[in-house]
Amino acid sequence: MGSPQGYRASWWTFLLHQAPHINFQLEAVGSEFAPEDWGYQQALLFLASISGLCFAISLVLICVYLIRFCCCSHEDDEETKTQKVCCVTWSCVAAVIVCCAGIGIGFYGNSETNDGVYQVTYSLLNTNHTLSSIDTLVSETVELLSATVRGELTQLEETLSPRTELVAVVRNTRRQAEAVAQTLDGIPFWGEARGGPSILAEQVGYLEDYRWLAYILLLLLDLIICLFTLLGLAKQIKWLVIVMTVMSFLVLILSWGSMGLETAAAVGLSDFCFEPDGYVMNTTQAKTGLSPEILQYYLICSQDIFNPFQQRLTLCQRALSNIHSQLYGLEREAIPHFPAAEKNILSVQSTLNTTESNFHHLVALLNCRGLHKDYVDALKGLCYDGMEGLLFLLLFSFLSALSFTTAVCSLPRAWKRFQNRDSDYDDMEDDDPFTPQARRPPTVRTGGAGPTLPGSYSHCSSWGSRGSLRLSAPPISNAPVSQYMSQSASYSGSPRFESVPLIDRHSPPPSYSPSMRASYVGASEEVDLPYQTGILS
């Protein structure tokens, strides 16, 4: 059976339909959509297991990389280490960027899949509304005709009893009205399928709500992990990077698992969308007992297909036309002689007009165009939007799995580098004033006192040359900054200390007083005069 009018399988449906279908015994299985067949189920499970194999390979790669990272010694120079650390950092950033791109693709695919499934549920509900309208219309028309036969036609027969030929016309009208009611009562064809489309739409919508919510949570989890991973790398927060490494491994398992489900679902959906009429007809006929002619009429809806309701509708139309002509004859012949019959005849004519209106509406509802359009809309929503969204979700799972595999391999090396930086700071000398330890608040020493300055200072006796100035300068002290500050504070108020030239001091003063500046200028002039006199002579 070919595809219905207005629907054509897409090229990605054709490609996925050509995928090999192999069961667990490695035997080829037919690609016809048969979800109840155990062999076909094995083929889909075999395709889903491919992602499990990829997960095992990724685990092996992660383990090999981590073992090599933990066990192998790194004796490279500092420049090589810096290059490797930079490469590891940028690989983590690149993996996070790729994962963010995959998350965007996943959001789009989840929305497309939801739109496709929503179109299916809308079409099913519209189909159920059409069938319910046919049922309601037929029941109302049959009830109206039955009430007319029991009421107005019976009274009209009693009123026209003196005229035998008029009574025969009334009885003929009564038989035709009963025949129309009986014919219309046999038109509803769904039987046990009454309410089935609405129940199916409710089940599909219920499952789709949970599927959509599950993917939204998975996408948000991936996004949160990516953002916190970037924060940990930027701020070099070791515990945050470790937590994100563990979370990345958990999401890696979810990514490979969702990829397996999406692969099996995409191949199964492509098998259904490649030739949907056969499966829909067989399943509907098995569950509802509808005749193949009716199903084929609505699924294909072609001019070459015979309308199974045409004969019944033609009989009803002819009967209604005869009833209308007979009532017109009774109105012309009976009312002049039996004025009391006018009310009953007018009531029957009103019922006939309502019946004809319902009949035309029923003919429009029974036409294959309405239900066939709902069927094609459902196929388009499922096989176009749904399939496209499923493929985008498959791409998201693949990118997410690759990204988190790279992140699980790279992040341990990154937070190991954070630890090395802390240890490098701890190995520095405590007396170095430029280390982070020296910049911390000073601690009070209780065991001993720091180095002290000499008790008295005097002028140096050798001021004859610049060499004497260089020899008389004391060596630069390695004492911490805190000791300099304490010494300068202890001698800041002493006039005796301020009279000593700046060059003879063991530590620079925190400020220059006027007396200190005058003493230092005088000492400098005494040194420079003999030197300049020797040059001039």
Side-chain angles (χ1 to χ4, degrees):
M1 182 179 296
S3 299
Q5 293 182 357
Y7 169 78
R8 185 178 181 181
S10 58
W11 63 270
W12 56 78
T13 298
F14 178 78
L15 290 179
L16 290 174
H17 182 67
Q18 302 301 321
H21 293 65
I22 302 174
N23 57 12
F24 293 157
Q25 290 77 28
L26 300 181
E27 298 175 353
V29 180
S31 58
E32 293 79 11
F33 185 69
E36 296 85 5
D37 187 16
W38 171 237
Y40 184 79
Q41 294 176 3
Q42 288 182 0
L44 295 182
L45 291 176
F46 183 82
L47 291 173
S49 64
I50 295 177
S51 64
L53 179 62
C54 295
F55 174 64
I57 294 174
S58 65
L59 283 182
V60 171
L61 293 176
I62 292 173
C63 293
V64 170
Y65 182 85
L66 293 180
I67 291 174
R68 180 179 178 277
F69 169 70
C70 295
C71 298
C72 295
S73 59
H74 302 280
E75 298 179 355
D76 300 334
D77 55 356
E78 190 65 27
E79 183 178 359
T80 305
K81 288 183 179 180
T82 305
Q83 294 177 356
K84 289 184 177 180
V85 170
C86 182
C87 181
V88 169
T89 303
W90 279 110
S91 64
C92 292
V93 173
V96 170
I97 293 175
V98 172
C99 184
C100 291
I103 291 172
I105 294 174
F107 273 108
Y108 176 76
N110 193 35
S111 177
E112 284 292 309
T113 305
N114 185 259
D115 292 341
V117 177
Y118 174 77
Q119 182 64 38
V120 173
T121 56
Y122 177 78
S123 299
L124 289 173
L125 292 176
N126 198 16
T127 300
N128 184 77
H129 177 71
T130 302
L131 297 178
S132 300
S133 298
I134 294 174
D135 190 9
T136 304
L137 195 62
V138 168
S139 61
E140 289 180 356
T141 304
V142 170
E143 184 178 358
L144 184 61
L145 289 175
S146 300
T148 302
V149 169
R150 292 191 304 267
E152 285 80 4
L153 290 178
T154 302
Q155 295 177 2
L156 187 60
E157 184 178 354
E158 294 176 355
T159 303
L160 299 178
S161 58
R163 298 281 299 269
T164 307
E165 67 279 7
L166 296 179
V167 172
V169 174
V170 173
R171 290 180 179 178
N172 189 18
T173 303
R174 182 174 182 176
R175 286 194 299 267
Q176 289 183 353
E178 291 176 350
V180 170
Q182 185 177 1
T183 303
L184 291 178
D185 194 25
I187 285 181
F189 55 89
W190 42 93
E192 297 179 359
R194 184 175 302 174
S198 62
I199 296 175
L200 182 60
E202 183 179 356
Q203 294 176 353
V204 171
Y206 179 79
L207 295 176
E208 172 59 20
D209 290 340
Y210 281 97
R211 186 211 62 81
W212 179 84
L213 180 60
Y215 268 99
I216 287 295
L217 294 178
L218 179 60
L219 290 167
L220 292 178
L221 179 62
D222 289 2
L223 183 60
I224 290 173
I225 291 175
C226 290
L227 294 179
F228 278 101
T229 300
L230 290 177
L231 179 63
L233 292 175
K235 298 295 184 179
Q236 296 186 358
I237 306 175
K238 180 180 177 182
W239 66 268
L240 183 59
V241 176
I242 294 176
V243 172
M244 291 302 105
T245 304
V246 177
M247 296 298 295
S248 298
F249 183 77
L250 296 178
V251 176
L252 177 64
I253 300 175
L254 296 177
S255 298
W256 286 118
S258 63
M259 183 177 174
L261 294 177
E262 290 154 4
T263 302
V267 174
L269 185 59
S270 67
D271 294 337
F272 169 78
C273 295
F274 185 75
E275 191 176 356
D277 290 348
Y279 177 77
V280 172
M281 178 175 289
N282 296 331
T283 304
T284 307
Q285 185 178 1
K287 292 184 177 181
T288 61
L290 295 178
S291 63
E293 293 79 10
I294 296 177
L295 292 175
Q296 190 175 9
Y297 172 70
Y298 285 108
L299 294 181
I300 298 178
C301 193
S302 175
Q303 295 180 356
D304 300 332
I305 302 299
F306 176 73
N307 188 354
F309 306 102
Q310 186 65 40
Q311 185 176 1
R312 292 187 178 184
L313 294 177
T314 302
L315 293 176
C316 290
Q317 187 176 8
R318 290 177 180 176
L320 291 175
S321 179
N322 293 332
I323 293 173
H324 185 75
S325 61
Q326 290 172 2
L327 288 177
Y328 180 75
L330 288 176
E331 183 180 5
R332 186 181 57 185
E333 297 292 337
I335 292 179
H337 302 86
F338 302 95
E342 182 179 4
K343 181 180 179 181
N344 294 329
I345 292 175
L346 293 177
S347 178
V348 173
Q349 285 181 346
S350 176
T351 303
L352 180 62
N353 293 332
T354 305
T355 303
E356 287 181 345
S357 177
N358 293 342
F359 177 78
H360 291 298
H361 192 194
L362 180 63
V363 170
L365 291 176
L366 289 174
N367 191 276
C368 65
R369 294 180 180 178
L371 293 178
H372 181 75
K373 183 181 182 300
D374 295 334
Y375 173 61
V376 172
D377 290 342
L379 288 180
K380 288 182 178 180
L382 186 63
C383 299
Y384 290 169
D385 295 339
M387 177 66 75
E388 182 181 356
L390 194 58
L391 292 178
F392 277 110
L393 289 177
L394 182 62
L395 179 60
F396 151 71
S397 298
F398 180 71
L399 293 177
S400 178
L402 291 182
S403 301
F404 284 112
T405 301
T406 305
V408 171
C409 292
S410 303
L411 288 177
R413 194 181 186 91
W415 60 261
K416 182 67 175 178
R417 180 60 183 171
F418 300 162
Q419 183 180 8
N420 291 336
R421 290 186 177 183
D422 296 339
S423 62
D424 292 341
Y425 286 142
D426 294 337
D427 292 339
M428 294 182 181
E429 297 180 358
D430 294 337
D431 294 338
D432 189 0
F434 299 102
T435 57
Q437 287 80 357
R439 291 192 291 267
R440 297 171 185 170
T443 57
V444 180
R445 296 183 180 180
T446 58
T452 58
L453 295 175
S456 61
Y457 292 87
S458 61
H459 292 279
C460 184
S461 60
S462 58
W463 294 93
S465 65
R466 294 185 181 272
S468 62
L469 289 174
R470 296 189 185 96
L471 292 175
S472 63
I476 298 175
S477 175
N478 292 328
V481 178
S482 59
Q483 295 180 5
Y484 284 112
M485 298 299 294
S486 61
Q487 291 175 4
S488 61
S490 61
Y491 290 97
S492 60
S494 175
R496 179 182 178 182
F497 181 72
E498 292 180 354
S499 64
V500 179
L502 180 65
I503 197 170
D504 286 344
R505 298 183 182 181
H506 290 86
S507 62
S511 62
Y512 291 92
S513 62
S515 60
M516 291 168 57
R517 188 179 297 107
S519 300
Y520 182 74
V521 171
S524 299
E525 291 177 353
E526 292 177 0
V527 172
D528 291 338
L529 279 176
Y531 182 72
Q532 295 176 0
T533 305
I535 293 176
L536 293 175
S537 61

